Amino acid sequence: MNSKSRYAWAYVMIAPTLIGTLVFWFWPAIYSIYLGFLKSENFGLDNRWVGLANYERLFKDGEFWQNLRNTMLYVALFVPTTIVLSTFFAVMLNAKIKGRSAYRVIYFLPQVTMAAAAAMVWVIIFAQDYGLLNSVLGTHIAWISDKRFAMYALVMVGVWAAIGFNMLLILAGLQSIPRPLYEAAELDGAVGIRKFRWITLPLLTPTLFFTSIVLVIGATQIFDSIYLIIGKTNVALPAVRSLVYAYYQNSFIYYDQNYGAAIVNILLLINLILTGFQFLMQKKWVVYD
């Protein structure tokens, strides 16, 4: 088989994924950017170019800035917690312990659990009068209806759901570290935490870097847990409402798709900035040698 035939077969193999990406990701993103500069009327049949009017309205909207703060707070709480706990459990499950495979399955179960079913269970756990969390802590906190605690409840749910998948990613990174490095370190007297600090952690940084990028992008798009656990009539909603939830409200409840498009376009820009910053900072902490 010549090189042209190999390239042809390669393109055939990636065609379904490529077409799906173009149709369901790239084109909607381009169309969303276009919608942000329009004012649609008559159920979208009449579109009028308004330039930056939607963005001017957006930046003058106090609710937008509150939603942005909520989103960034969730990212700040969720991402480090998930990375730390995922790394901890990955290190534990990388050791030779009895029932290791069973534990890996258990930690991964949240990834294959239906979001609606999991949300119902968490609502019961967070219940003020009969919830498991208050029973264990000996408290009487309204976790999902008190503005002071609702964000922490969402972070708990998010971390619970994300640990399994990210733990597997980090576990794969751990297993790619050459065993002779540990043996050499042990001969030099490095054991326990010192071995983790000087061998495991530096060689794990590329995996942690990739994990952090995926987590940040996913965290900025939080929606399911707000919709299913907090609910649209909850008094705590303003304290946890994210940019994606605001997009849903404006586009599908208020039927203002142009304003909703402006919101997600800003979110796209934020993600590009955050990802670019992460790539810029990787030079200071990621070890590729």
Side-chain angles (χ1 to χ4, degrees):
M1 183 181 295
N2 57 40
S3 59
K4 290 185 178 180
S5 298
R6 287 198 298 268
Y7 281 122
W9 276 110
Y11 285 122
V12 170
M13 293 297 103
I14 67 172
T17 301
L18 181 61
I19 293 173
T21 301
L22 292 174
V23 173
F24 297 109
W25 292 91
F26 184 74
W27 169 244
I30 297 300
Y31 190 65
S32 175
I33 295 173
Y34 173 66
L35 277 179
F37 296 102
L38 301 178
K39 177 63 177 176
S40 300
E41 298 174 344
N42 193 19
F43 299 100
L45 297 178
D46 298 326
N47 295 311
R48 179 166 50 88
W49 183 268
V50 294
L52 297 175
N54 289 314
Y55 296 95
E56 292 175 1
R57 173 189 167 192
L58 188 69
F59 293 133
K60 294 177 181 178
D61 187 353
E63 187 176 283
F64 163 75
W65 293 107
Q66 179 61 47
N67 298 335
L68 178 59
R69 284 193 293 269
N70 293 340
T71 302
M72 293 299 103
L73 176 60
Y74 181 81
V75 172
L77 294 173
F78 166 79
V79 174
T81 306
T82 302
I83 290 177
V84 170
L85 291 179
S86 298
T87 304
F88 173 78
F89 288 119
V91 171
M92 293 297 101
L93 294 181
N94 193 44
K96 295 180 180 180
I97 59 174
K98 188 176 181 179
R100 180 170 57 179
S101 298
Y103 285 121
R104 291 177 182 177
V105 172
I106 291 171
Y107 282 114
F108 191 75
L109 281 178
Q111 290 295 130
V112 296
T113 303
M114 292 182 61
M120 292 177 62
V121 174
W122 278 105
V123 168
I124 296 173
I125 292 174
F126 289 134
Q128 183 175 11
D129 296 322
Y130 55 85
L132 177 62
L133 186 58
N134 280 330
S135 297
V136 171
L137 298 178
T139 56
H140 195 253
I141 298 173
W143 289 98
I144 58 177
S145 58
D146 190 322
K147 294 180 180 180
R148 296 172 299 171
F149 301 103
M151 180 63 74
Y152 299 108
L154 291 180
V155 171
M156 279 189 269
V157 176
V159 171
W160 168 82
I163 279 181
F165 176 74
N166 292 281
M167 180 197 69
L168 288 183
L169 290 177
I170 296 171
L171 185 60
L174 287 171
Q175 294 179 346
S176 68
I177 299 175
R179 183 62 192 173
L181 291 177
Y182 289 112
E183 296 172 352
E186 290 170 0
L187 292 175
D188 291 335
V191 294
I193 192 66
R194 293 180 62 190
K195 187 163 58 175
F196 176 81
R197 168 66 180 85
W198 297 108
I199 297 178
T200 304
L201 191 57
L203 295 178
L204 196 60
T205 51
T207 303
L208 295 177
F209 171 62
F210 171 77
T211 303
S212 67
I213 289 177
V214 174
L215 285 174
V216 168
I217 294 174
T220 59
Q221 300 177 44
I222 177 178
F223 171 79
D224 290 356
S225 56
I226 300 175
Y227 182 82
L228 295 170
I229 296 176
I230 302 299
K232 60 184 178 181
T233 59
N234 195 318
V235 294
L237 179 60
V240 298
R241 181 171 44 217
S242 66
L243 291 176
V244 173
Y245 193 93
Y247 160 74
Y248 157 75
Q249 279 188 318
N250 284 279
S251 297
F252 301 103
I253 296 180
Y254 307 144
Y255 298 105
D256 190 348
Q257 296 181 352
N258 306 112
Y259 191 64
I263 293 174
V264 293
N265 291 340
I266 293 297
L267 181 59
L268 173 61
L269 179 61
I270 291 172
N271 271 317
L272 290 174
I273 293 173
L274 290 176
T275 303
F277 178 75
Q278 287 176 284
F279 270 96
L280 183 64
M281 295 301 295
Q282 71 163 324
K283 300 176 183 179
K284 298 183 179 296
W285 67 280
V286 180
V287 179
Y288 289 108
D289 295 333

